[in-house]
Amino acid sequence: MATEQRPFQLVVFGASGFTGQFVTEEVAREQVDPERSSRLPWAVAGRSREKLQRVLEKAALKLGRPTLSSEVGIIICDIANPASLDEMAKQATVVLNCVGPFLELMQLKYHEKAADKGVYIIGSSGFDSIPADLGVIYTRNKMNGTLTAVESFLTIHSGPEGLSIHDGTWKSAIYGFGDQSNLRKLRNASNLKPVPLIGPKLKRRWPVSYCRELKGYSIPFMGSDVSVVKRTQRYLYENLEESPVQYAAYVTVGGITSVIKLMFAGLFFLFFVRFGIGRQLLIKFPWFFSFGYFSKQGPTQKQIGAASFTLTFFGQGYSQGIGTDKNKPNIKICTQVKGPEAGYVATPIAMVQAAMTLLNDASDLPQAGGVFTPGAAFSKTKLIDRLNKHGIEFSVISSSEV
């Protein structure tokens, strides 16, 4: 993010990729939002002018905006050419990066440099992990007391044609799990002090457990949510002196047949991802090794239109005036985040509304720049309100004293 005047407020980098084309469509929707009070000059960026032009033409056709292509700038750049990336960045106030993830290594390497330049780099700003990270903050804000621990359960809903996920997400998981040893070394080298434990320690569930409240089986969620939420809670404790919240994430898998299917898929994945040739096989045959969940084609429009997600949070804590040292938690709260299809509808909405927050709520961001999680960057902003208006809805289901 840059503060001086630049030609484009937003640039979608990697707009011709599978996810990038959906982010492009979402920016085009935001451009004509009736609540907008000013222009939104924006551009798409990538390696091929022809591909970028096709993405804009496709978006124009889908949205009924025949003049869209002439309203949007095109920037040619390539990750193999750092100078071209510099030129792209100089033209943008906010870059929406659809090319690669910004996670813990980015924070370690570039946080101080970004802070010196007043630049905000915010990773995990799609479905992974805005609903989880801001969902925990929302739950904390809605509890009349001190929230100490939260469990979240992700439920993915599909239509009659089932689910499909593009293999780009599959590849990211392969590279992420394949790099676990380096990630452990990185975490050990950072020498971070432990965040204090408030209230009783949150017990981890079995690899397969039954959730009575949701009447279904669940397994641990293998995405980035836990890591992101923990980093956010550390930031809020160390910088804003807020009480840290323990967190665990799970995904519901329905009945026992689904449990068995996912267990086999998980075992295959964890075995093959350990070896170079295994990773090559996983990348080459995503549909086979994921039992049909991932494919090179990705989901159809019908599958996307029929899908949605529900992320349910069960929190516990202490009412005001009750000490956390020796007493048991005496308040429970249940909240939810609901939204449309996670990967290619909710993710673009989350990214674009995060960008709008950067542009419009600058005074509520951390004072200096740096590399942040969504919760660290946006905890004091109106991002949750923006998401509510755009179909990602936060709500309280129940709250009671025990």
Side-chain angles (χ1 to χ4, degrees), residues 24 42 44 52-60 68-69 72 74:
T24 298
W42 64 290
V44 292
L52 293 171
Q53 190 67 43
R54 283 200 297 271
V55 167
L56 290 175
E57 290 169 358
K58 182 180 176 181
L68 180 63
S69 297
V72 182
I74 292 180

Side-chain angles (χ1 to χ4, degrees), residues 58-348:
K58 182 180 176 181
L61 185 63
K62 185 175 180 179
L63 300 175
R65 301 260 306 279
T67 62
L68 180 63
S69 297
S70 64
E71 300 168 12
V72 182
I74 292 180
I75 301 172
I76 304 305
C77 57
D78 190 335
I79 58 172
N81 183 352
S84 71
L85 299 181
D86 287 343
E87 287 303 311
M88 173 199 59
K90 288 176 183 177
Q91 299 180 64
T93 304
V94 175
V95 175
L96 287 168
N97 176 34
C98 302
V99 175
F102 291 118
L103 297 174
E104 292 177 59
L105 181 60
M106 286 291 296
Q107 189 164 17
L108 186 67
K109 290 179 67 174
Y110 296 111
H111 178 74
E112 291 186 2
K113 291 181 180 179
D116 290 342
K117 297 287 186 180
V119 173
Y120 293 84
I121 302 173
I122 304 164
S124 307
S125 291
F127 177 73
D128 283 358
S129 297
I130 278 183
D133 204 13
L134 293 189
V136 172
I137 291 172
Y138 176 84
T139 305
R140 181 202 67 194
N141 292 344
K142 293 299 181 180
M143 175 173 271
N144 188 23
T146 301
L147 181 68
T148 60
V150 173
E151 290 181 313
S152 71
F153 293 83
L154 171 64
T155 302
I156 299 294
H157 313 282
S158 63
E161 295 191 11
L163 289 170
S164 179
I165 306 172
H166 190 261
D167 76 331
T169 304
W170 176 254
K171 289 176 183 176
S172 296
I174 292 167
Y175 296 138
F177 278 91
D179 202 40
Q180 283 292 302
S181 60
N182 289 331
L183 182 57
R184 281 193 292 270
K185 291 177 184 177
L186 171 66
R187 288 170 175 169
N188 292 334
S190 62
N191 293 319
L192 295 172
K193 294 180 181 178
V195 173
L197 199 66
I198 309 299
K201 185 176 181 179
L202 180 61
K203 294 180 180 179
R204 294 296 184 263
R205 293 172 179 255
W206 290 94
V208 178
S209 63
Y210 187 78
C211 179
R212 288 179 297 173
E213 294 88 349
L214 299 178
K215 297 181 175 62
Y217 289 94
S218 68
I219 60 175
F221 180 62
M222 304 302 286
S224 62
D225 286 357
V226 171
S227 170
V228 171
V229 170
K230 284 183 176 179
R231 286 161 56 210
T232 291
Q233 294 303 313
R234 172 179 291 279
Y235 173 87
L236 297 177
Y237 168 72
E238 292 179 347
N239 293 274
L240 303 181
E241 298 182 350
E242 295 181 2
S243 179
V245 178
Q246 302 172 69
Y247 178 66
Y250 303 91
V251 56
T252 62
V253 293
I256 196 67
T257 304
S258 298
V259 170
I260 294 170
K261 183 179 178 181
L262 283 167
M263 282 180 64
F264 274 105
L267 289 172
F268 269 120
F269 182 88
L270 292 173
F271 176 77
F272 280 93
V273 80
R274 296 165 59 194
F275 313 103
I277 191 169
R279 290 192 288 273
Q280 292 176 24
L281 288 170
L282 288 170
I283 290 170
K284 192 171 183 180
F285 304 106
W287 189 87
F288 175 78
F289 285 105
S290 70
F291 284 61
Y293 285 108
F294 292 84
S295 71
K296 293 183 182 294
Q297 296 76 30
T300 65
Q301 283 297 326
K302 282 188 177 180
Q303 287 175 318
I304 291 173
S308 62
F309 78 89
T310 301
L311 189 57
T312 305
F313 300 84
F314 296 103
Q316 65 180 26
Y318 297 84
S319 56
Q320 295 178 0
I322 302 296
T324 62
D325 295 334
K326 298 179 181 179
N327 298 298
K328 291 183 178 180
N330 70 325
I331 294 182
K332 289 186 176 181
I333 186 171
C334 175
T335 63
Q336 278 188 346
V337 180
K338 288 185 175 183
E341 190 276 337
Y344 313 110
V345 183
T347 285

Side-chain angles (χ1 to χ4, degrees), residues 385-399:
D385 294 337
R386 288 190 168 89
L387 293 171
N388 271 319
K389 292 178 181 178
H390 287 81
I392 300 177
E393 301 172 353
F394 293 67
S395 62
V396 176
I397 304 303
S398 64
S399 180

